[in-house]
Structures are given as structure tokens and as C-alpha cells.
Amino acid sequence: MFCAQLTTLGREWARLFRLRPNPDQKTSYNPPLNPPAKQKKESILVNIRACMAAALFLICAPALADTADDQFQEVAAKYLAANPKPVLSEEAYKYKVQAEFMVQEKQPAKAIGLYDKALNLAPWWPEGHYQLALLLGETKKYRDATKEMKRYLQLAPNGPDARAAQDKLYQWEVVAEPVAGKTFKDCPDCPEMVELPPGNFDMGSNSGESNEKPQHHVTIAKAFAIGKTEVTQAQWQAVMGSNPSNFATCGDTCPVEQVSWDDAQTYIQKLNLKTGKQYRLPTEAEWEYACRAGNQQDYCGDDNVDKVSWNNRNSGSYFFNTPHPVGTKQANAFGLYDMSGNVWEWVQDNYHDDYNGAPADGSAWENGSKRVLRGGSWGYDAEFGRATARFKFSPGYRYFSYGFRLARVLP
């Protein structure tokens, strides 16, 4: 209540002052710096009001803009105080016109890129943030859309599209991509873990292989942690005292491979004794939830497989493909590496031929003779690294492209 009242007062005061522009910042406007001569007697009062309004904005900005970053708060403060308001430079205006044309041509990806360029030149442009937010929402990039729409509301809290903007935020709130939490390690030689929030997603694909059907809605009701990378050779060695990897010369930071599902369980038991924590393999649903990270991309982190995956197209020359050190490709939106490619990853579930009857709560689907592997590997075609692709093998089978990634129960 206090912030809301002061914020309202601060908005009124903001109309009474002008902020001096940063001399190092390129801008197409130059607000007046001094009051007219007839107002000189009031200049001291105006300056006091300016200082108080600026302080109030910094203190109460969260009431206006939720999680907006400090740098943009400064942009918004200067814009709200400016009179007259700035106008787009010719270059920014060009990008605006081109973006609008790309929207007409039904090429949203190009339009998004052009609005980005315009906003790099004019971050204070409310309409640009609004239009960019709409495009991001239409392409299901709800987290980015939410950020841009909140920026629009910071710049134009009483603007012509303010009501529509808030309605969009309400809509996106129920489908926005979840955001990963903190990372941690339980011991110096333990894998680094990333906390993932509860969430829901559509698992599988109705246009993929038969074992990826039917697509079904899954709810992950409780937060859990998952490995930032696949378990490495050094991490395995620290717990097990040996290294089973066929590619041991790849080095300590390469994923451990040539391990079976049973071997992974043995490692987990020993790690739990060492740390007193509850490590386990992720369920298949948790694995795909972590892979997708709130997006609908073909691979775990991008539609371009080579950005996120070591596969048989990019992991070496013909017949000489190898695994690579973990974390050397692009991470996904949760900050997880190698979810696509490098080594196949065992998950907890038994394999079933399709998803008919699959749990909707993200739990492991047991009852079967084989176990599921996910993510593809350095030695397989890139398509095996798709977010929905599934593989199977007997739990005791070892192979030089089979590894795993840990999950951990959170308190």
C-alpha cells in the first residue's frame, strides 16, 4: 500500500522534472534542461521534487514492474520524465516499417528480429515492446513475451493498449515457461545440479514415431533437481574408484560411458551413502520436461541440432566419431547441457511401445523387461537427439555411447 501510494505521487512529480540524458548514449531527443526564466524562483522546489521522484521510482519500481531489471527501470524513468517524448531515429523507424511488413507477410521470426533491432536503438519505445510481445506470444515464447509486455506497461502504464497488455499477461501466466532455480553441488566431486520448478507440458508427439504417441499432458507437481551435465568420468571415478569408459582418453570432463542401467544404480547407491542425499535417475517424463525447458523446439534447446548436440555429423570424421567434454555445446533454457547428443542417457522407466496408459503425474512407468534411454549420442544420427525420441535396451547392457544424468529429490 505504501509503495502504491508513493508510486502514484511519484508519477505526478515525474511530470514536473526533466532528466539529463547520458552524454554517451545515442538518442534522438534532447529534453530541456532548465526551467523557463519566469519559473526560476521555483527551480529549487522543482529540483527537490525531481530528487524525491527519482528516489521513489527506484524504491517502488517493483510495484510497477515485478521483476524488471534495474537497467530498464532507468530507461523507463527517463522516458516517463521526458517532455516532449523522444521520437524514433530514421534507422529505428526503418526497422519498424520492415517489421510491420514482415508481420503482413506472415514471417514472425523476421519481424521479431527487426523489432529487436529497433529496440536496441530505442529501448524506450513502448509500441515496439508491445508489438514484439504479441509476436513472441504468438510463437509460444511466453517467457520472453511476458518480459516485453511488462516493459511496455512500465513505459506506458496508462497507454492505449494497457488493458489489453495486462490481459495478455494474465493469459501467458498459465502457460509461461518455467524458470530454473539455483545450482548446487553436494560435494566437491559431485555432479552440479540444477533445481527445476513444478510445471506441466505435453509429452511425446502425434507426428513422430509410433512409440512417441499419443501426445499426452503431464504435470510435474513437485520441484526436483537434475544434473547440469551428464555424469563425467571424473565424477564416476571419485565414487566408484575405476573408469569403465571406452573413451577414457577423452578426459575427466567427458561423459562416463559404457555403463548399464544397473551400473548407474550402483553408482547412485554409493553416492547416496557418501552424501546422505536422495539421488536417482530422472523419470522419462522428468527427462523430457527438463529437455524441453518450457519450449516446443525439435531438440533440447534449439531447432538447430548442431547448436546443442554432439552427433555423428559433427563429432569427428567418418568411423572416428567420439564423445566430447560435457558443456561444450549451447545449453537449453534451464541451463542444461547435452540433453541432445553426446551420450545416450538412461532414465528410470521401463520401456513401453507407446504412451497409452502412461502416468500423467511424471512418475516412473515400471513393469517391463527393458529400460528407456533418451537424448541420442555422438555415434547416432542427429534425429535420435529429438526431444521426443526414445530408445530401449536391457538394464544390464553396456555400450560405449550409453551414459546417464542424475536427478535428486529436494527437501
Side-chain angles (χ1 to χ4, degrees):
M1 178 66 71
F2 174 73
C3 256
Q5 292 173 342
L6 289 184
T7 298
T8 302
L9 183 60
R11 283 175 179 158
E12 294 302 315
W13 284 348
R15 297 185 183 130
L16 301 177
F17 73 96
R18 308 289 181 262
L19 293 178
R20 184 182 298 273
N22 183 343
D24 296 325
Q25 180 180 358
K26 293 182 179 180
T27 179
S28 57
Y29 74 108
N30 187 19
L33 304 181
N34 299 309
K38 64 180 180 180
Q39 295 178 336
K40 284 184 178 179
K41 293 181 180 179
E42 300 178 8
S43 62
I44 295 177
L45 178 59
V46 169
N47 288 334
I48 292 172
R49 285 172 175 169
C51 292
M52 293 180 70
L56 286 169
F57 187 90
L58 292 174
I59 293 170
C60 298
L64 290 173
D66 257 347
T67 57
D69 57 276
D70 292 339
Q71 186 176 8
F72 192 77
Q73 289 178 17
E74 183 179 352
V75 171
K78 289 182 178 180
Y79 176 79
L80 290 170
N83 188 13
K85 297 299 184 192
V87 296
L88 294 176
S89 66
E90 189 63 26
E91 185 177 7
Y93 181 79
K94 178 187 75 172
Y95 291 135
K96 170 186 180 290
V97 172
Q98 291 174 339
E100 291 169 347
F101 180 64
M102 287 298 99
V103 171
Q104 294 174 12
E105 293 295 304
K106 302 188 185 315
Q107 297 189 47
K110 289 185 177 180
I112 288 170
L114 289 163
Y115 274 121
D116 274 334
K117 288 182 177 180
L119 289 168
N120 282 336
L121 296 172
W124 43 262
W125 178 34
E127 182 191 352
H129 289 287
Y130 182 77
Q131 296 299 333
L132 178 56
L134 293 178
L135 285 167
L136 290 166
E138 290 171 5
T139 54
K140 300 185 183 301
K141 296 176 180 177
Y142 299 117
R143 185 166 59 195
D144 292 338
T146 296
K147 181 185 74 173
E148 293 299 330
M149 198 62 85
K150 286 182 177 180
R151 288 184 168 184
Y152 166 75
L153 286 174
Q154 277 187 273
L155 294 164
N158 299 311
D161 296 308
R163 178 69 266 171
Q166 186 60 61
D167 290 348
K168 283 295 183 183
L169 289 176
Y170 289 149
Q171 293 170 7
W172 295 336
E173 184 178 293
V174 297
V175 292
E177 303 92 332
V179 179
K182 68 178 183 179
T183 61
F184 65 89
K185 293 177 72 171
D186 288 320
C187 67
D189 296 319
C190 291
E192 186 172 7
M193 307 296 289
V194 180
E195 291 185 0
L196 300 190
N200 55 78
F201 73 108
D202 291 325
M203 183 175 180
S205 170
N206 288 328
S207 60
E209 301 294 330
S210 60
N211 67 356
E212 301 169 22
K213 302 174 183 177
Q215 188 178 71
H216 56 291
H217 198 68
V218 174
T219 297
I220 307 294
K222 188 176 180 181
F224 68 101
I226 194 165
K228 187 174 185 177
T229 68
E230 295 150 338
V231 173
T232 67
Q233 295 182 25
Q235 290 161 354
W236 178 279
Q237 176 89 31
V239 173
M240 304 295 286
S242 61
N243 184 2
S245 301
N246 182 72
F247 294 96
T249 56
C250 183
D252 287 348
T253 60
C254 287
V256 66
E257 26 82 12
Q258 201 155 269
V259 293
S260 67
W261 185 91
D262 291 334
D263 294 333
Q265 297 296 336
T266 301
Y267 171 87
I268 288 169
Q269 291 170 9
K270 292 188 175 184
L271 184 61
N272 287 344
L273 286 173
K274 178 178 179 177
T275 62
K277 306 300 182 181
Q278 291 181 273
Y279 286 95
R280 55 179 175 80
L281 288 177
T283 69
E284 187 173 13
E286 288 173 339
W287 189 97
E288 189 168 323
Y289 173 73
C291 157
R292 289 185 179 279
N295 294 299
Q296 293 293 323
Q297 294 158 323
D298 290 339
Y299 301 92
C300 301
D302 207 281
D303 289 324
N304 182 337
V305 64
D306 289 330
K307 288 185 178 180
V308 295
S309 162
W310 291 112
N311 55 75
N312 69 356
R313 292 194 323 207
N314 64 12
S315 62
S317 57
Y318 193 60
F319 289 131
F320 294 98
N321 301 77
T322 65
H324 284 65
V326 299
T328 51
K329 287 289 187 177
Q330 173 182 297
N332 72 2
F334 278 159
L336 307 177
Y337 294 87
D338 302 311
M339 295 290 288
S340 291
N342 220 3
V343 294
W344 284 99
E345 299 179 16
W346 291 106
V347 296
Q348 182 64 32
D349 301 47
N350 286 112
Y351 178 81
H352 297 78
D353 289 333
D354 56 43
Y355 284 133
N356 287 306
D361 62 357
S363 60
W365 197 7
E366 305 285 359
N367 302 320
S369 60
K370 296 186 180 348
R371 297 286 176 172
V372 177
L373 295 121
R374 286 298 211 111
S377 86
W378 56 268
Y380 280 68
D381 290 344
E383 66 181 22
F384 286 97
R386 290 182 300 108
T388 56
R390 309 173 68 215
F391 202 54
K392 63 182 177 182
F393 234 103
S394 300
Y397 189 76
R398 300 185 179 104
Y399 194 56
F400 52 57
S401 65
Y402 291 2
F404 66 103
R405 172 187 312 262
L406 290 175
R408 206 203 85 176
V409 175
L410 294 176

